[in-house]
Amino acid sequence: MRGRFAPSPTGRMHLGNIRSALLGWLQARAAGGTFLLRIEDLDRARCKPRFLEDLYEDLRWLGLDWDEAPLFQSERDAVYREAQAELEREGLVYPCFCTRAEISRAASAPHGLGDDGPRYPGTCAHLTAEQISERSRTRAPAYRFRARPGAVRFTDDLMGPYAQDVQALVGDFVVRRNDGVASYQLAVVVDDAASRITHVLRGDDLLPSTPRQLQLYEALRLPAPDFLHVPLVMGEDGKRLAKRDGAFALAELRARGRPPEHVLGLLAAWSGLGDGSPVSLPSLVARFDVSVLPHAPVVARESQLLDALGLR
Ligand code: GLU
């Protein structure tokens, strides 16, 4: 089995991100498998070298190691272009000249999938060669994949059966943005396949992206991995833990000089793997069991954090 952690270094890692890293690492180590690190730094403006340094330091401090040289998405555009070209040869990709505002105006439903904006109504799906060259003169296109109609089904290793009609909910989706950068959906599929990842464990904010990714695996004739989506860690305000929740930044906790076993104890408690008392990595490997992972979001309480760290 081959697993991976694929962070975007756009801020300091908090305990929610770290928990996903830990669980992926535990899943791989418990199975005697390989664990890889991939740096998802396609968003050049938001990814900063100091966040990458912090990330390495965080992982090392906890003892989470990886087995091969990390892949950097920012260095892999040629591979993404090859995959896109393959889709183009099959007529599965087309240039799209729509702006966000145009898509919102044309959309019949206000929202498709939360973060991803409204469903794309297919405005540019059937442009003639002439229209394409005409529009290319004034605007650089994005490229969209022709989503297949009908439900995509898969069984998540934690959440169970999941189905989504990508065409109905999201519509044709972007594989290359109009600033020339490959989309997350394309890059993640190409990279997981290139790294021969067999098990993807990540936060359940990405569960709704998985059907799109499965359509790309199929279109590119690549074997899809197994997926396990863990419910996110929420702050006390009920919002997902974010880079703004400074108290839960691992760099902050490292700086407080408490041993990593204290942090591991808290992460284990959030994962059904412990009662919050300090714990070592090897004993977590021995304890790891997918069936005890929580199916609902976990709430991170500052009081619990202070207890776990022995700070009061
Ligand atoms: N880079 C993504 C993130 O930090 C994770 C991608 C994935 O695990 O598929 O949210």
Side-chain angles (χ1 to χ4, degrees), residues 155-184:
T155 301
D156 187 87
D157 286 343
L158 183 65
M159 307 304 263
Y162 187 81
Q164 183 195 95
D165 186 331
V166 176
Q167 179 51 261
L169 196 65
V170 184
D172 298 338
F173 57 88
V174 172
V175 289
R176 185 167 297 275
R177 307 185 327 204
N178 73 352
D179 62 1
V181 179
S183 75
Y184 159 69

Side-chain angles (χ1 to χ4, degrees), residues 200-277:
V200 167
L201 185 155
R202 59 189 177 191
D204 72 354
D205 53 329
L206 292 170
L207 183 59
S209 283
T210 306
R212 270 170 276 174
Q213 293 170 17
L214 287 169
Q215 289 207 338
L216 290 177
Y217 278 107
E218 198 186 318
L220 292 165
R221 295 183 193 83
L222 295 169
D226 283 1
F227 291 94
L228 190 161
H229 291 90
V230 279
L232 293 183
V233 179
M234 304 288 181
E236 285 178 272
D237 58 0
K239 297 200 186 115
R240 72 165 80 143
L241 217 56
K243 287 156 184 166
R244 62 169 191 276
D245 294 300
F248 293 100
L250 193 64
E252 198 91 357
L253 303 179
R254 281 197 273 114
R256 290 184 173 207
R258 309 303 297 178
E261 287 75 17
H262 285 64
V263 172
L264 289 174
L266 182 62
L267 298 176
W270 284 349
S271 309
L273 295 167
D275 60 7
S277 50

Side-chain angles (χ1 to χ4, degrees), residues 4-8 17 38 40 73 184 188 192 200-203 205-206 213 243:
R4 50 60 160 192
F5 178 52
S8 304
N17 312 131
R38 179 173 69 238
E40 301 214 324
Q73 290 194 324
Y184 159 69
V188 77
D192 281 335
V200 167
L201 185 155
R202 59 189 177 191
D205 53 329
L206 292 170
Q213 293 170 17
K243 287 156 184 166

Side-chain angles (χ1 to χ4, degrees), residues 297-312:
V298 167
V299 179
R301 297 185 197 289
E302 215 157 323
S303 56
Q304 191 191 15
L305 178 73
L306 296 175
D307 286 344
L309 294 178
L311 288 174
R312 60 168 199 180

Side-chain angles (χ1 to χ4, degrees), residues 35 82 144 153 199 248 270 292:
F35 190 68
E82 242 170 67
R144 290 184 183 269
R153 295 174 197 283
H199 290 71
F248 293 100
W270 284 349
V292 305

